[in-house]
Structure formats: C-alpha cells, structure tokens
Amino acid sequence: MALKIRLRQQGRTNRAFYRLVVADARSPRDGKYIEALGWYNPIETEAEKRLNLKEERIQHWLDHGAQLSENAVSLIKGTAPEIVRQLTAREVERRAKAAAKRKEKKA
C-alpha cells in the first residue's frame, strides 16, 4: 500500500480548511484517511491559528515510507524545515548509491 501525506479539503464553499493526513495514494482527495497529522486554515490571520502540525507523527510516517505531496512539502518547510532537510538528504544519498552501483557495473 503506497502512502501519501497530503492535504484533505474540508470546510464550506469559499471558506476552505485543510487537514494534513496520511492516506492511501489511491484514495480520493476528500476520502478515507489513516491518520490526521495537522491542519491548515488559509483564511486565518493569526499565525498560531493558521497552521498546526504533529511533527513527530509526520517523521514517523516518513520513516515508514510515506511520500509527501508538493503542497505538504511547502507547508512543512515553513514550520519544520529539518524534516524536509532529512528527506532531501536521504534522497541525495539514495541517488549517490545508485550512481556508484551503475559505475561499478560499468567497470
């Protein structure tokens, strides 16, 4: 089962409110999800009421193989940049390892 950390739209017309959730990649945007990891209210003016994330749970799901959507990355980057940094470092390491393997195979 491929897991995604993405935004789930809620609220009413013209007053959107989003939840950051872990869901199966095949489920619809507003469908069933596994766990809620926070929320985002773009309409709110106060910073404390605009965004709330459970950083330790986000890290937990990333360690278990969940992928971040583009919008989720941009939200997390503002409040918990170390999570995005670790994810980027992991990707760079994986690509370097694959390149070394290709180079070894070629020789």
Side-chain angles (χ1 to χ4, degrees):
M1 179 166 77
L3 298 174
K4 280 256 188 206
I5 297 176
R6 63 183 182 202
L7 293 174
R8 180 179 195 266
Q9 186 176 355
Q10 295 195 291
R12 60 180 198 242
T13 307
N14 298 325
R15 301 255 328 152
F17 179 87
Y18 300 93
R19 282 196 180 159
L20 188 70
V21 298
V22 176
D24 184 6
R26 297 169 294 181
S27 66
R29 179 195 68 188
D30 299 337
K32 187 175 166 184
Y33 62 92
I34 298 168
E35 181 180 355
L37 302 174
W39 48 263
Y40 170 60
N41 187 357
I43 297 170
E44 187 63 48
T45 56
E46 293 182 41
E48 301 87 41
K49 295 181 180 179
R50 190 177 183 105
L51 178 66
N52 180 19
L53 300 176
K54 298 177 186 172
E55 297 162 8
E56 63 280 346
R57 295 304 295 167
I58 293 171
Q59 188 61 52
H60 167 81
W61 284 108
L62 289 174
D63 292 341
H64 280 82
Q67 300 292 314
L68 287 169
S69 69
E70 290 179 20
N71 291 333
V73 168
S74 65
L75 279 179
I76 293 171
K77 208 181 274 189
T79 58
E82 65 277 354
I83 291 176
V84 177
R85 247 185 265 122
Q86 287 176 359
L87 197 60
T88 305
R90 199 181 301 165
E91 180 66 22
V92 168
E93 182 180 318
R94 186 187 65 78
R95 286 184 184 194
K97 193 174 185 181
K101 190 173 183 180
R102 280 194 310 271
K103 193 174 185 180
E104 180 182 303
K105 203 176 205 182
K106 203 174 199 181

